Amino acid sequence: MKSKYCVSILVSNNYNYTSILTFHKNGLTMRYYLSFLLILLCSFSGLSQAQSAQQKNNEAVKSEETLNQSEITQISDTMKLLTKKAQTLKGDRLAIVQLEIYNMNEKLRKVLKSAVEQSSVEQKNSDKTLLTQQIQLQTEYYKFYLSYVEQKLDNLQTEIEKAKKDDRLLMQIPLNELRIGQAILYTEQYQNYAWLQSLGIDTDKSISQFEDKLQDLAHFTSAALNYSLTYQESLQRQLEGLSATQAEKINLEISYLQRDINTYSKALSRLVDTADSLNINTVELRHELFTATGDITHDLFSWAVLKSTFVSWFTQFSSWFVINSPNMFFNLFMFVLILALARVVAQLVQHLLKKAVKAPHLKLSNLMQQFILSMSVKLIFCIALLIALAQVGLDLTPVIAGLGVAGIIIGFALQDTLSNFASGMMLLIYRPFDEGDWINAAGVEGTVSHVSLVNTTIRTFSNEVLLVPNSKIWMEVIINRTYEKVRRVDMIFRIGHKDSIAKAEQIFEDILAADERVLKAPAPIIKVNTLEESSVNFIVRPWVRTDDYIDVMRDCTREVKMRFDAEGINIPFPQQDIHLHIVGTDMGLNLSSNPTRTQD
């Protein structure tokens, strides 16, 4: 096909016919068909005198019907001149003239349509003669061009079958053009028959033959469309596992095949619309058209089309289910079996690990033990799930790749959470505290109730439950008050400067010796620490087990107070004495104060 146009001319007896003109302009393709080269040369030869006489008789009449007849005659004369001129031209000039002939014929059909509508309303038989002759002439020429297009399609199809595969794809383009042109010819030929019927002409025999040909063409187009769709699916399945070169060739073939599918869809749509006008049952054809294109039109919502569509879907599903159900049920059984086995394996592994992590030589914290047990079970289930999905037939490669991409996205979205997670891992590795420990961290003091990879649960001594993010705990100072098994109780007691230091020391020693919770080693420390303005300060530091820390500190303080009271030892506190002096003067009394500080 040339870049600008393509013209095919058939010579039969004394008649020249132009079949189909495909004119490309600005990237758009327009089909110009039925260029009637000899509308007035031969077929009008027996009618020219009658037309001329009728035109002369009607020159004085200015009615609407006379104007239509005059316009029809004028267009026919113009087409006659253009046809003669086209016989002497070639190349681009010939294409231009043929395009003009086509445009004139389109104009003629519009005038004929307007005239038919006026004639059918006014019912004036005297005005129908020329109109009937013109439409009958159109009908005969459409019959010829339909026959010519069918022959041309057969020839092109034969040439395509003999051509090489690469050439075959290119030769398919003009073939598709002819298929759509053929559908358009059927649409306009039916319009010709409809015009004749409105004029009272008996066309039952012609329409009957036309219906048979239309149905045959529609069913053939539907079958070709179905074949193209099936072949396209087959090519798409072949793409798996092919090299880049082979895949490129198949993709090219699929692209040309998609063009065929579009062509068959457009042609079938026109043929179905024409068949509907003839009251032909088009339910199956419209169902096939909907399956191919997926376009939802008002015709789809008719009960017949909907019923056909659902029946077809149910039939396809039933066939698929019968073929695939055994394999599907087996895969489902294997899926459940693999998960059940994973559960059994997880319980066995958890039981074995529970004993292993509690081995004394490992010295694992409770938090680490729970983490190992929990992660082992989850890891087993994840692996089992991937194996089960692979057994069902799911390709894990894109799933794993998708998880990697999703992991990156989630990482950016959950930066704070990941920071807590990383801090939780550091807490697991370095073990600064364990569950049940008394800690002071992130400004919170209490007993560690639970530790996860994201946060730590601390129960305060007032029985409040606090969830502290791991990142805050890890980034600040952590005081673990129960990390060691033995702790020193630091206490400070004060006596007055007048009290006996030795007596006070003896009291401290007696109290600590009487308390069984106080450890003998390391030995308690009882020393005079500082001499302040109002007191002598002692430090008393016994060693106790960590669990007894609070009780020993409180009980020892109580005993010291009671023994001091019994032995007459004062616990001093700061005080200030104020002395007032009265001074007499001539003006009266003058009170002045001279405060002095004394210590009792």
Side-chain angles (χ1 to χ4, degrees), residues 538-573:
F538 284 85
I539 57 171
V540 180
R541 296 177 177 176
W543 289 86
V544 298
R545 291 189 301 270
T546 302
D547 295 338
D548 298 331
Y549 179 86
I550 296 296
D551 294 337
V552 170
M553 181 178 63
R554 291 172 179 172
D555 293 344
C556 187
T557 302
R558 181 176 181 275
E559 287 295 325
V560 168
K561 176 66 168 93
M562 292 177 64
R563 289 290 300 273
F564 277 6
D565 292 343
E567 298 293 336
I569 297 177
N570 296 321
I571 298 176
F573 54 88

mmCIF file of all heavy atoms in Angstrom, residues 538-573:
data_model
loop_
_atom_site.group_PDB
_atom_site.id
_atom_site.type_symbol
_atom_site.label_atom_id
_atom_site.label_comp_id
_atom_site.label_asym_id
_atom_site.label_seq_id
_atom_site.Cartn_x
_atom_site.Cartn_y
_atom_site.Cartn_z
ATOM 1 N N PHE A 538 26.499 9.850 111.727
ATOM 2 C CA PHE A 538 27.038 8.504 111.577
ATOM 3 C C PHE A 538 26.572 7.922 110.232
ATOM 4 O O PHE A 538 25.419 8.151 109.813
ATOM 5 C CB PHE A 538 26.533 7.599 112.704
ATOM 6 C CG PHE A 538 27.188 7.818 114.031
ATOM 7 C CD1 PHE A 538 26.728 8.806 114.891
ATOM 8 C CD2 PHE A 538 28.284 7.047 114.422
ATOM 9 C CE1 PHE A 538 27.334 9.018 116.110
ATOM 10 C CE2 PHE A 538 28.880 7.268 115.657
ATOM 11 C CZ PHE A 538 28.419 8.248 116.506
ATOM 12 N N ILE A 539 27.441 7.139 109.602
ATOM 13 C CA ILE A 539 27.021 6.340 108.444
ATOM 14 C C ILE A 539 26.953 4.891 108.903
ATOM 15 O O ILE A 539 27.879 4.359 109.512
ATOM 16 C CB ILE A 539 27.991 6.499 107.252
ATOM 17 C CG1 ILE A 539 29.412 6.114 107.640
ATOM 18 C CG2 ILE A 539 27.926 7.891 106.663
ATOM 19 C CD1 ILE A 539 30.359 6.050 106.429
ATOM 20 N N VAL A 540 25.805 4.264 108.587
ATOM 21 C CA VAL A 540 25.584 2.857 108.923
ATOM 22 C C VAL A 540 25.284 2.124 107.612
ATOM 23 O O VAL A 540 24.251 2.395 106.973
ATOM 24 C CB VAL A 540 24.423 2.711 109.925
ATOM 25 C CG1 VAL A 540 24.206 1.242 110.280
ATOM 26 C CG2 VAL A 540 24.690 3.518 111.187
ATOM 27 N N ARG A 541 26.137 1.198 107.223
ATOM 28 C CA ARG A 541 26.036 0.553 105.913
ATOM 29 C C ARG A 541 26.158 -0.976 106.031
ATOM 30 O O ARG A 541 27.228 -1.543 105.858
ATOM 31 C CB ARG A 541 27.112 1.082 104.976
ATOM 32 C CG ARG A 541 26.950 2.576 104.667
ATOM 33 C CD ARG A 541 28.062 3.102 103.805
ATOM 34 N NE ARG A 541 27.868 4.506 103.468
ATOM 35 C CZ ARG A 541 28.745 5.230 102.771
ATOM 36 N NH1 ARG A 541 29.889 4.680 102.368
ATOM 37 N NH2 ARG A 541 28.480 6.492 102.513
ATOM 38 N N PRO A 542 25.050 -1.638 106.313
ATOM 39 C CA PRO A 542 25.072 -3.095 106.321
ATOM 40 C C PRO A 542 24.853 -3.650 104.897
ATOM 41 O O PRO A 542 24.261 -2.997 104.046
ATOM 42 C CB PRO A 542 23.916 -3.446 107.238
ATOM 43 C CG PRO A 542 22.953 -2.325 107.037
ATOM 44 C CD PRO A 542 23.780 -1.094 106.813
ATOM 45 N N TRP A 543 25.300 -4.912 104.682
ATOM 46 C CA TRP A 543 25.096 -5.598 103.401
ATOM 47 C C TRP A 543 23.972 -6.618 103.577
ATOM 48 O O TRP A 543 23.956 -7.383 104.547
ATOM 49 C CB TRP A 543 26.367 -6.313 102.958
ATOM 50 C CG TRP A 543 27.435 -5.344 102.514
ATOM 51 C CD1 TRP A 543 28.341 -4.707 103.296
ATOM 52 C CD2 TRP A 543 27.670 -4.930 101.177
ATOM 53 N NE1 TRP A 543 29.153 -3.898 102.567
ATOM 54 C CE2 TRP A 543 28.762 -4.010 101.211
ATOM 55 C CE3 TRP A 543 27.116 -5.193 99.931
ATOM 56 C CZ2 TRP A 543 29.280 -3.400 100.093
ATOM 57 C CZ3 TRP A 543 27.632 -4.587 98.804
ATOM 58 C CH2 TRP A 543 28.696 -3.697 98.879
ATOM 59 N N VAL A 544 23.076 -6.623 102.633
ATOM 60 C CA VAL A 544 21.920 -7.535 102.675
ATOM 61 C C VAL A 544 21.683 -8.110 101.277
ATOM 62 O O VAL A 544 22.258 -7.639 100.285
ATOM 63 C CB VAL A 544 20.653 -6.794 103.155
ATOM 64 C CG1 VAL A 544 20.827 -6.256 104.577
ATOM 65 C CG2 VAL A 544 20.286 -5.669 102.195
ATOM 66 N N ARG A 545 20.845 -9.126 101.265
ATOM 67 C CA ARG A 545 20.410 -9.632 99.951
ATOM 68 C C ARG A 545 19.518 -8.578 99.280
ATOM 69 O O ARG A 545 18.807 -7.845 99.959
ATOM 70 C CB ARG A 545 19.662 -10.943 100.113
ATOM 71 C CG ARG A 545 20.549 -12.114 100.547
ATOM 72 C CD ARG A 545 19.774 -13.426 100.468
ATOM 73 N NE ARG A 545 18.590 -13.378 101.327
ATOM 74 C CZ ARG A 545 18.596 -13.748 102.599
ATOM 75 N NH1 ARG A 545 19.727 -14.170 103.173
ATOM 76 N NH2 ARG A 545 17.486 -13.692 103.311
ATOM 77 N N THR A 546 19.559 -8.549 98.005
ATOM 78 C CA THR A 546 18.824 -7.524 97.255
ATOM 79 C C THR A 546 17.342 -7.561 97.569
ATOM 80 O O THR A 546 16.688 -6.513 97.679
ATOM 81 C CB THR A 546 19.054 -7.705 95.741
ATOM 82 O OG1 THR A 546 20.449 -7.629 95.463
ATOM 83 C CG2 THR A 546 18.307 -6.665 94.943
ATOM 84 N N ASP A 547 16.808 -8.755 97.757
ATOM 85 C CA ASP A 547 15.375 -8.856 98.028
ATOM 86 C C ASP A 547 15.008 -8.268 99.385
ATOM 87 O O ASP A 547 13.842 -7.897 99.623
ATOM 88 C CB ASP A 547 14.942 -10.331 97.967
ATOM 89 C CG ASP A 547 15.097 -10.911 96.568
ATOM 90 O OD1 ASP A 547 15.119 -10.114 95.613
ATOM 91 O OD2 ASP A 547 15.187 -12.149 96.431
ATOM 92 N N ASP A 548 16.005 -8.179 100.321
ATOM 93 C CA ASP A 548 15.721 -7.668 101.674
ATOM 94 C C ASP A 548 16.061 -6.197 101.828
ATOM 95 O O ASP A 548 15.988 -5.662 102.944
ATOM 96 C CB ASP A 548 16.530 -8.477 102.708
ATOM 97 C CG ASP A 548 16.132 -9.952 102.692
ATOM 98 O OD1 ASP A 548 14.963 -10.236 102.354
ATOM 99 O OD2 ASP A 548 17.003 -10.795 102.988
ATOM 100 N N TYR A 549 16.442 -5.532 100.756
ATOM 101 C CA TYR A 549 16.956 -4.167 100.845
ATOM 102 C C TYR A 549 15.949 -3.227 101.507
ATOM 103 O O TYR A 549 16.255 -2.559 102.509
ATOM 104 C CB TYR A 549 17.316 -3.674 99.452
ATOM 105 C CG TYR A 549 17.832 -2.264 99.394
ATOM 106 C CD1 TYR A 549 19.183 -1.993 99.605
ATOM 107 C CD2 TYR A 549 16.979 -1.198 99.157
ATOM 108 C CE1 TYR A 549 19.660 -0.697 99.574
ATOM 109 C CE2 TYR A 549 17.439 0.097 99.119
ATOM 110 C CZ TYR A 549 18.786 0.342 99.327
ATOM 111 O OH TYR A 549 19.256 1.626 99.288
ATOM 112 N N ILE A 550 14.773 -3.142 101.011
ATOM 113 C CA ILE A 550 13.779 -2.191 101.511
ATOM 114 C C ILE A 550 13.386 -2.524 102.947
ATOM 115 O O ILE A 550 13.306 -1.639 103.821
ATOM 116 C CB ILE A 550 12.551 -2.187 100.593
ATOM 117 C CG1 ILE A 550 12.941 -1.685 99.196
ATOM 118 C CG2 ILE A 550 11.444 -1.306 101.172
ATOM 119 C CD1 ILE A 550 13.399 -0.259 99.166
ATOM 120 N N ASP A 551 13.162 -3.787 103.204
ATOM 121 C CA ASP A 551 12.721 -4.173 104.561
ATOM 122 C C ASP A 551 13.792 -3.886 105.616
ATOM 123 O O ASP A 551 13.482 -3.391 106.716
ATOM 124 C CB ASP A 551 12.360 -5.657 104.563
ATOM 125 C CG ASP A 551 11.146 -5.949 103.698
ATOM 126 O OD1 ASP A 551 10.350 -5.014 103.479
ATOM 127 O OD2 ASP A 551 10.987 -7.096 103.241
ATOM 128 N N VAL A 552 15.042 -4.204 105.297
ATOM 129 C CA VAL A 552 16.118 -3.958 106.267
ATOM 130 C C VAL A 552 16.272 -2.472 106.525
ATOM 131 O O VAL A 552 16.432 -2.032 107.680
ATOM 132 C CB VAL A 552 17.440 -4.579 105.756
ATOM 133 C CG1 VAL A 552 18.621 -4.116 106.623
ATOM 134 C CG2 VAL A 552 17.341 -6.093 105.765
ATOM 135 N N MET A 553 16.222 -1.640 105.494
ATOM 136 C CA MET A 553 16.381 -0.195 105.656
ATOM 137 C C MET A 553 15.266 0.372 106.539
ATOM 138 O O MET A 553 15.520 1.162 107.454
ATOM 139 C CB MET A 553 16.378 0.492 104.292
ATOM 140 C CG MET A 553 16.575 1.998 104.376
ATOM 141 S SD MET A 553 16.628 2.788 102.762
ATOM 142 C CE MET A 553 14.983 2.408 102.174
ATOM 143 N N ARG A 554 14.062 -0.054 106.361
ATOM 144 C CA ARG A 554 12.950 0.485 107.123
ATOM 145 C C ARG A 554 12.967 -0.048 108.572
ATOM 146 O O ARG A 554 12.753 0.722 109.537
ATOM 147 C CB ARG A 554 11.639 0.128 106.432
ATOM 148 C CG ARG A 554 11.460 0.866 105.091
ATOM 149 C CD ARG A 554 10.266 0.354 104.325
ATOM 150 N NE ARG A 554 10.099 1.089 103.070
ATOM 151 C CZ ARG A 554 9.213 0.742 102.110
ATOM 152 N NH1 ARG A 554 8.443 -0.328 102.292
ATOM 153 N NH2 ARG A 554 9.124 1.463 101.016
ATOM 154 N N ASP A 555 13.222 -1.349 108.735
ATOM 155 C CA ASP A 555 13.226 -1.919 110.092
ATOM 156 C C ASP A 555 14.390 -1.380 110.930
ATOM 157 O O ASP A 555 14.236 -1.110 112.143
ATOM 158 C CB ASP A 555 13.310 -3.447 110.000
ATOM 159 C CG ASP A 555 12.048 -4.053 109.399
ATOM 160 O OD1 ASP A 555 11.026 -3.341 109.354
ATOM 161 O OD2 ASP A 555 12.084 -5.225 108.959
ATOM 162 N N CYS A 556 15.542 -1.208 110.286
ATOM 163 C CA CYS A 556 16.711 -0.691 111.008
ATOM 164 C C CYS A 556 16.470 0.747 111.460
ATOM 165 O O CYS A 556 16.831 1.131 112.582
ATOM 166 C CB CYS A 556 17.942 -0.795 110.124
ATOM 167 S SG CYS A 556 19.480 -0.364 110.992
ATOM 168 N N THR A 557 15.881 1.560 110.643
ATOM 169 C CA THR A 557 15.582 2.957 111.012
ATOM 170 C C THR A 557 14.620 3.002 112.192
ATOM 171 O O THR A 557 14.768 3.817 113.128
ATOM 172 C CB THR A 557 14.985 3.700 109.789
ATOM 173 O OG1 THR A 557 15.898 3.637 108.700
ATOM 174 C CG2 THR A 557 14.688 5.147 110.135
ATOM 175 N N ARG A 558 13.622 2.137 112.175
ATOM 176 C CA ARG A 558 12.659 2.091 113.282
ATOM 177 C C ARG A 558 13.346 1.695 114.589
ATOM 178 O O ARG A 558 13.123 2.300 115.656
ATOM 179 C CB ARG A 558 11.551 1.104 112.927
ATOM 180 C CG ARG A 558 10.467 0.971 114.000
ATOM 181 C CD ARG A 558 9.375 0.039 113.497
ATOM 182 N NE ARG A 558 8.316 -0.087 114.487
ATOM 183 C CZ ARG A 558 8.324 -0.940 115.521
ATOM 184 N NH1 ARG A 558 9.393 -1.727 115.723
ATOM 185 N NH2 ARG A 558 7.321 -0.982 116.371
ATOM 186 N N GLU A 559 14.213 0.667 114.529
ATOM 187 C CA GLU A 559 14.897 0.210 115.746
ATOM 188 C C GLU A 559 15.837 1.272 116.311
ATOM 189 O O GLU A 559 15.950 1.441 117.534
ATOM 190 C CB GLU A 559 15.682 -1.071 115.441
ATOM 191 C CG GLU A 559 14.818 -2.307 115.254
ATOM 192 C CD GLU A 559 14.099 -2.689 116.533
ATOM 193 O OE1 GLU A 559 14.688 -2.504 117.626
ATOM 194 O OE2 GLU A 559 12.938 -3.167 116.453
ATOM 195 N N VAL A 560 16.516 2.010 115.451
ATOM 196 C CA VAL A 560 17.419 3.070 115.902
ATOM 197 C C VAL A 560 16.639 4.137 116.652
ATOM 198 O O VAL A 560 17.059 4.604 117.734
ATOM 199 C CB VAL A 560 18.196 3.670 114.719
ATOM 200 C CG1 VAL A 560 18.902 4.958 115.129
ATOM 201 C CG2 VAL A 560 19.195 2.664 114.188
ATOM 202 N N LYS A 561 15.518 4.563 116.124
ATOM 203 C CA LYS A 561 14.716 5.582 116.814
ATOM 204 C C LYS A 561 14.236 5.091 118.189
ATOM 205 O O LYS A 561 14.306 5.825 119.200
ATOM 206 C CB LYS A 561 13.511 5.954 115.927
ATOM 207 C CG LYS A 561 12.544 6.938 116.589
ATOM 208 C CD LYS A 561 13.186 8.297 116.804
ATOM 209 C CE LYS A 561 12.152 9.323 117.189
ATOM 210 N NZ LYS A 561 11.949 9.509 118.615
ATOM 211 N N MET A 562 13.807 3.849 118.235
ATOM 212 C CA MET A 562 13.310 3.323 119.510
ATOM 213 C C MET A 562 14.440 3.173 120.533
ATOM 214 O O MET A 562 14.276 3.496 121.724
ATOM 215 C CB MET A 562 12.628 1.960 119.277
ATOM 216 C CG MET A 562 11.325 2.071 118.467
ATOM 217 S SD MET A 562 10.580 0.477 118.119
ATOM 218 C CE MET A 562 10.194 -0.072 119.782
ATOM 219 N N ARG A 563 15.622 2.710 120.151
ATOM 220 C CA ARG A 563 16.747 2.562 121.063
ATOM 221 C C ARG A 563 17.275 3.923 121.521
ATOM 222 O O ARG A 563 17.682 4.082 122.680
ATOM 223 C CB ARG A 563 17.854 1.767 120.387
ATOM 224 C CG ARG A 563 17.523 0.296 120.191
ATOM 225 C CD ARG A 563 17.500 -0.455 121.528
ATOM 226 N NE ARG A 563 18.776 -0.398 122.193
ATOM 227 C CZ ARG A 563 19.784 -1.251 121.987
ATOM 228 N NH1 ARG A 563 19.617 -2.256 121.139
ATOM 229 N NH2 ARG A 563 20.925 -1.127 122.657
ATOM 230 N N PHE A 564 17.300 4.900 120.592
ATOM 231 C CA PHE A 564 17.737 6.248 120.995
ATOM 232 C C PHE A 564 16.807 6.809 122.071
ATOM 233 O O PHE A 564 17.266 7.431 123.051
ATOM 234 C CB PHE A 564 17.774 7.170 119.779
ATOM 235 C CG PHE A 564 19.030 7.057 118.955
ATOM 236 C CD1 PHE A 564 19.986 6.089 119.248
ATOM 237 C CD2 PHE A 564 19.260 7.928 117.883
ATOM 238 C CE1 PHE A 564 21.133 6.004 118.483
ATOM 239 C CE2 PHE A 564 20.409 7.838 117.129
ATOM 240 C CZ PHE A 564 21.361 6.869 117.414
ATOM 241 N N ASP A 565 15.522 6.619 121.887
ATOM 242 C CA ASP A 565 14.579 7.121 122.886
ATOM 243 C C ASP A 565 14.779 6.407 124.227
ATOM 244 O O ASP A 565 14.711 7.026 125.307
ATOM 245 C CB ASP A 565 13.148 6.936 122.398
ATOM 246 C CG ASP A 565 12.826 7.836 121.216
ATOM 247 O OD1 ASP A 565 13.573 8.809 120.988
ATOM 248 O OD2 ASP A 565 11.838 7.559 120.485
ATOM 249 N N ALA A 566 15.036 5.093 124.155
ATOM 250 C CA ALA A 566 15.208 4.325 125.401
ATOM 251 C C ALA A 566 16.511 4.669 126.121
ATOM 252 O O ALA A 566 16.570 4.694 127.358
ATOM 253 C CB ALA A 566 15.148 2.823 125.092
ATOM 254 N N GLU A 567 17.554 4.972 125.363
ATOM 255 C CA GLU A 567 18.865 5.268 125.949
ATOM 256 C C GLU A 567 19.043 6.763 126.214
ATOM 257 O O GLU A 567 20.119 7.178 126.691
ATOM 258 C CB GLU A 567 19.971 4.779 125.010
ATOM 259 C CG GLU A 567 19.970 3.288 124.773
ATOM 260 C CD GLU A 567 20.321 2.479 126.031
ATOM 261 O OE1 GLU A 567 20.982 3.052 126.924
ATOM 262 O OE2 GLU A 567 19.938 1.299 126.115
ATOM 263 N N GLY A 568 18.088 7.586 125.892
ATOM 264 C CA GLY A 568 18.181 9.019 126.156
ATOM 265 C C GLY A 568 19.070 9.764 125.187
ATOM 266 O O GLY A 568 19.622 10.810 125.538
ATOM 267 N N ILE A 569 19.241 9.251 124.032
ATOM 268 C CA ILE A 569 20.043 9.940 123.008
ATOM 269 C C ILE A 569 19.099 10.774 122.151
ATOM 270 O O ILE A 569 18.093 10.260 121.628
ATOM 271 C CB ILE A 569 20.827 8.932 122.165
ATOM 272 C CG1 ILE A 569 21.816 8.163 123.040
ATOM 273 C CG2 ILE A 569 21.546 9.642 121.020
ATOM 274 C CD1 ILE A 569 22.588 7.083 122.297
ATOM 275 N N ASN A 570 19.468 12.047 122.018
ATOM 276 C CA ASN A 570 18.636 12.965 121.239
ATOM 277 C C ASN A 570 19.020 12.948 119.760
ATOM 278 O O ASN A 570 20.194 12.837 119.409
ATOM 279 C CB ASN A 570 18.766 14.387 121.771
ATOM 280 C CG ASN A 570 18.236 14.500 123.191
ATOM 281 O OD1 ASN A 570 17.219 13.898 123.530
ATOM 282 N ND2 ASN A 570 18.935 15.269 124.017
ATOM 283 N N ILE A 571 18.020 13.080 118.980
ATOM 284 C CA ILE A 571 18.258 13.285 117.537
ATOM 285 C C ILE A 571 18.104 14.772 117.291
ATOM 286 O O ILE A 571 16.984 15.312 117.351
ATOM 287 C CB ILE A 571 17.261 12.485 116.689
ATOM 288 C CG1 ILE A 571 17.422 10.983 116.956
ATOM 289 C CG2 ILE A 571 17.462 12.787 115.209
ATOM 290 C CD1 ILE A 571 16.418 10.118 116.225
ATOM 291 N N PRO A 572 19.188 15.488 117.116
ATOM 292 C CA PRO A 572 19.120 16.961 117.061
ATOM 293 C C PRO A 572 18.439 17.459 115.792
ATOM 294 O O PRO A 572 18.346 16.764 114.790
ATOM 295 C CB PRO A 572 20.591 17.371 117.105
ATOM 296 C CG PRO A 572 21.318 16.227 116.506
ATOM 297 C CD PRO A 572 20.564 14.984 116.885
ATOM 298 N N PHE A 573 18.019 18.698 115.920
ATOM 299 C CA PHE A 573 17.446 19.382 114.759
ATOM 300 C C PHE A 573 17.826 20.839 114.868
ATOM 301 O O PHE A 573 18.032 21.360 115.970
ATOM 302 C CB PHE A 573 15.924 19.223 114.729
ATOM 303 C CG PHE A 573 15.232 19.634 115.981
ATOM 304 C CD1 PHE A 573 14.821 20.954 116.182
ATOM 305 C CD2 PHE A 573 15.028 18.711 117.009
ATOM 306 C CE1 PHE A 573 14.210 21.336 117.369
ATOM 307 C CE2 PHE A 573 14.407 19.116 118.187
ATOM 308 C CZ PHE A 573 13.997 20.409 118.371
#
